[in-house]
């Protein structure tokens, strides 16, 4: 290689030995396509298409899940997700303000909370919520499963959203608070009217991603033990697929998740791009 | 009655002493321009007048109220002290109208109609009534700064602080902002202006204060401080500002 380039440098008119870089690139690309084609051919040859059609794209079985797939399962998933998001939003905002407080114990409490709940798997949180009645006999969360689901999803997302909000608040230029204070606004009023609205705009993309994560995590509500009326997408798919001994409903619920998560992801990227352009 | 009375003001940031004993007063209706090289402490001095910076020691008395007294209601005091910033600091998520009404409504508890009337009146004064429904990022720097002046005036301040109000502007936009400030001075507003605009200082100021190294070096009428400075440091500074590149 170095011999070639040396030669090039000394006598560019002389024909080069070996392959030119462009030729090498072309060969490499041909090899990559060939590998892809081979893999596809092998997959197609090995797969049992009839079985796949019957198991995963069985329209008869898929049809039996309608309309409950949307009217019950999707509806419950959305309810669990949104209630968890709202709780996480409010608690997260309070935690962020505590994290930035001039009172040290508030900062500590908030930091500890965030560390704990970002460090635990969502599954474990739901198992703990399920065990709450053991610790407090007779205690019942308002809203039953709905309350428990909101709590589980809320306490965890609050930890993530708190970090988002903190970053957003710190990203608002210092002059904004100074301008508000110079107009005689008390600190809290300035935060509520001037700083937080701008911070929320800044963290809209990560919050949208948080919503996507919550939507997927809401599948863990099945740990709480739900009735047929409280069932969400993942459990619904699983139940249907055992009933008919066919995995098509699982695929159908998967598609239903994507129906929401892909547009939300798109919205998040659009928001991000718009912010990038605005600055 | 003197509007601003500063006595033996000191301000340190960590081990850096930015203000090293400032004494001066601004009489009611006076326009005082503070000039000096960057790092001389002039902006810090201005920010101590409404306590955006907490003085390390000394007193700042505005309209007879000692703002450095820990018991003083600083929010109440700031209502009467308008401030205009180098970077405008308009609220970008609010319309021009809302920028000018929000503090009136939330702080002064004026009625919605009253807020709107005052907003229109002051936007009229700075010549931007037609921009009332625009958002700040849609305005030029000069327009934003004039809205910022209107926002401060809407609180009916008895004192206006200007922190290098034209330093962030393109040269061709400086004139409009200075014209508004000149008008304000003619109307009898008490003004404390940190500026590099020597023309404005010479024509509009009642007094010019030259600061360097955290102290006031020279304080007097513009015809003295700018045209006939007594101190070598003032002369040196003015030479560099008035004849750059010579």
């Amino acid at each position: 290689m170095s011999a070639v380039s040396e030669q090039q440098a000394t006598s560019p008119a002389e024909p080069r030995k070996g392959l030119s870089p462009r030729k090498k690139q072309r060969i490499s690309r041909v090899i990559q396509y060939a590998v892809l084609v081979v893999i596809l051919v092998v997959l197609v040859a090995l797969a049992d298409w009839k079985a796949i059609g019957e198991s995963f794209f069985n329209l008869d079985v898929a049809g039996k899940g309608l309309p409950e797939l949307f009217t019950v399962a999707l509806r419950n998933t959305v309810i669990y997700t949104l209630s968890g998001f709202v709780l996480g939003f409010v608690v997260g905002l309070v935690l962020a303000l505590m994290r930035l407080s001039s009172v040290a114990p508030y900062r500590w409490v908030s930091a500890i909370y965030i560390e704990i709940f970002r460090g635990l798997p969502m599954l474990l949180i739901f198992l703990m919520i399920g065990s709450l009645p053991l610790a407090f006999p007779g205690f019942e969360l308002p809203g039953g499963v709905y309350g428990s689901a909101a709590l589980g999803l809320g306490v965890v997302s609050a930890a993530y959203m708190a970090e988002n909000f903190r970053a957003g608040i710190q990203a608002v230029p210092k002059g904004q608070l100074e301008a508000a204070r110079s107009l005689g606004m008390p600190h809290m009023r300035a935060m509520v009217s001037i700083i937080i609205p701008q911070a929320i705009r800044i963290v809209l993309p990560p919050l949208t991603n948080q919503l996507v994560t919550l939507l997927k995590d809401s599948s863990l509500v099945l740990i709480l033990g739900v009735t047929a009326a409280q069932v969400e997408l993942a459990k619904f798919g699983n139940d249907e697929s055992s009933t008919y001994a066919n995995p098509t409903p699982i695929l159908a619920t998967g598609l239903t998740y994507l129906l929401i998560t892909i547009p939300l992801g798109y919205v998040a990227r659009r928001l991000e791009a718009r912010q990038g352009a605005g600055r | 009655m003197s509007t601003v009375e500063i006595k033996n003001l000191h301000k340190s940031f960590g081990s850096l002493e930015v203000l090293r004993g400032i004494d001066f007063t601004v009489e009611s209706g006076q326009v005082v321009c503070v000039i000096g090289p960057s790092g001389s402490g002039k902006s810090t001095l201005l920010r101590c007048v409404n306590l955006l910076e907490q003085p390390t020691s000394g007193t700042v008395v505005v309209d007879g109220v000692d703002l450095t007294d820990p018991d003083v209601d600083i929010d109440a005091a700031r209502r009467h002290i308008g401030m205009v910033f180098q970077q405008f600091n308009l609220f970008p998520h609010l319309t021009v109208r809302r920028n000018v009404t929000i503090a009136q409504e939330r702080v002064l508890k004026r009625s919605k109609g009253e807020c709107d009337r005052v907003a229109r009146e002051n936007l009229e004064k700075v010549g931007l009534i037609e921009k009332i429904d625009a958002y700040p990022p849609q305005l030029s720097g000069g327009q934003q700064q004039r809205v910022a002046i209107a926002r401060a005036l809407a609180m009916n301040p008895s004192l206006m602080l200007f922190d290098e109000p034209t330093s962030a502007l393109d040269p061709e936009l400086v004139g409009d902002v200075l014209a508004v400030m000149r008008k304000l001075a003619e109307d009898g507003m008490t003004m404390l202006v940190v500026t590099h605009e020597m023309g404005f200082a010479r024509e509009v100021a009642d007094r010019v204060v030259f600061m360097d190294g955290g102290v006031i070096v020279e304080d007097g009428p513009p015809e003295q401080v700018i045209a006939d400075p007594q101190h070598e440091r003032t002369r040196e500074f003015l030479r560099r500002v008035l004849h750059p590149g010579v």
Side-chain angles (χ1 to χ4, degrees), chain B residues 26 29-33 185 189-193 200 204-207:
Chain B
V26 181
Q30 253 188 357
V31 176
V32 177
C33 283
M189 176 63 76
T190 311
M191 292 161 67
L192 188 52
V193 186
F200 178 82
V204 181
D206 298 299
R207 264 168 56 210

Side-chain angles (χ1 to χ4, degrees), chain A residues 175-176 178 181 183 193, chain B residues 47 75 78 89-91 155:
Chain A
Q176 291 291 308
E178 289 182 349
R181 296 304 305 272
L183 289 166
S193 295
Chain B
R47 291 159 60 84
D75 295 321
R78 281 179 181 145
N89 294 348
L90 289 181
F91 307 133
M155 303 296 283

Side-chain angles (χ1 to χ4, degrees), chain B residues 34 45 54 70 84 97 118 121 135 154 167 177 189 203 209 215:
Chain B
V34 183
L45 168 64
Q54 181 73 42
V84 175
R97 183 198 306 269
V118 175
E121 184 185 302
Y135 281 88
S167 295
V177 172
M189 176 63 76
E203 288 164 42
V209 172
V215 294

